[in-house]
Amino acid sequence: TFTMGISRDSRHKRRATGGKKANLKKKRLYESGRPPAMTKIGATRVHTVRVRGGNEKFRAMRLDTGNFSWGTEVTTRKTRILDVVYNASNNELVRTKALVKGAIIQVDPTPFKAWYEQHYGVKVGVKKAQKKAAAEELAEKKVSNHVQRNHAERNKTRTLDPALDEAFASGRLLCCVSSRPGQSGRCDGYVLEGKELEFYTRQLKKRKQ
């Protein structure tokens, strides 16, 4: 069966002044395009695509984990992707839960919580009613004097955004995808914080109204 390819040439387009151009050559392979991957959330499935120059692209069809970087704490953890909640370019990409660059997604904060507790000796994402019990639990934990000194030193400069603490407590951390899953076969990104987190939280509230 004959199927039309995706062509990226501009010879079929009119001039800026509105005049028609004469199309003096046929389509070329180097002008061809491919359909979008529309990566979804699910058990990892990645196809390899042979591209120009014999190189390979990794077309992720489904992904359920990714590496996410926490900028202010300078740490990266592999974590589960839970949901796609916002996309500035198109609401359809949110409805279909497409993992694309720039998408705002929710991830599981457990690996970050575990790292924070180990690094600072402080529990994050604890609900107000349970804060006292969590502090007592940590106090009972036996750690060496060396680790205690490390924790004390690190806690001198420790700051945690209250909005992030809330996100940890809710069990859903907002992240932005910065890799291109349809090209690299990975869904990596960074944890939203500060002004950026405020902005996207506002946008999400607007959507719910």
Side-chain angles (χ1 to χ4, degrees), residues 74-170:
V74 197
T75 186
T76 301
R77 286 288 171 273
K78 182 182 179 178
T79 183
R80 237 166 16 101
I81 297 164
L82 303 175
D83 199 5
V84 178
V85 290
Y86 184 78
N87 194 311
S89 65
N90 191 349
N91 284 336
E92 193 68 7
L93 297 172
V94 179
R95 195 183 63 77
T96 56
K97 301 196 185 310
L99 295 171
V100 293
K101 183 173 176 170
I104 304 302
I105 63 174
Q106 286 177 337
V107 303
D108 178 16
T110 312
F112 291 105
K113 281 166 91 166
W115 173 84
Y116 202 89
E117 189 180 327
Q118 177 255 318
H119 192 73
Y120 289 109
V122 176
K123 277 202 166 180
V124 285
V126 181
K127 296 203 164 70
K128 277 177 187 167
Q130 300 159 345
K131 270 196 173 158
K132 199 177 179 186
E136 282 168 9
E137 192 188 313
L138 273 176
E140 284 167 20
K141 247 189 190 176
K142 282 197 168 69
V143 290
S144 66
N145 289 338
H146 177 71
V147 171
Q148 281 176 359
R149 282 199 302 276
N150 272 350
H151 286 172
E153 196 58 41
R154 287 169 188 159
N155 275 304
K156 285 178 187 173
T157 54
R158 181 179 79 87
T159 53
L160 181 66
D161 186 345
L164 263 186
D165 201 12
E166 273 175 39
F168 279 122
S170 72

Side-chain angles (χ1 to χ4, degrees), residues 166-178:
E166 273 175 39
F168 279 122
S170 72
R172 284 170 176 260
L173 203 54
L174 282 181
C175 293
C176 179
V177 178
S178 58

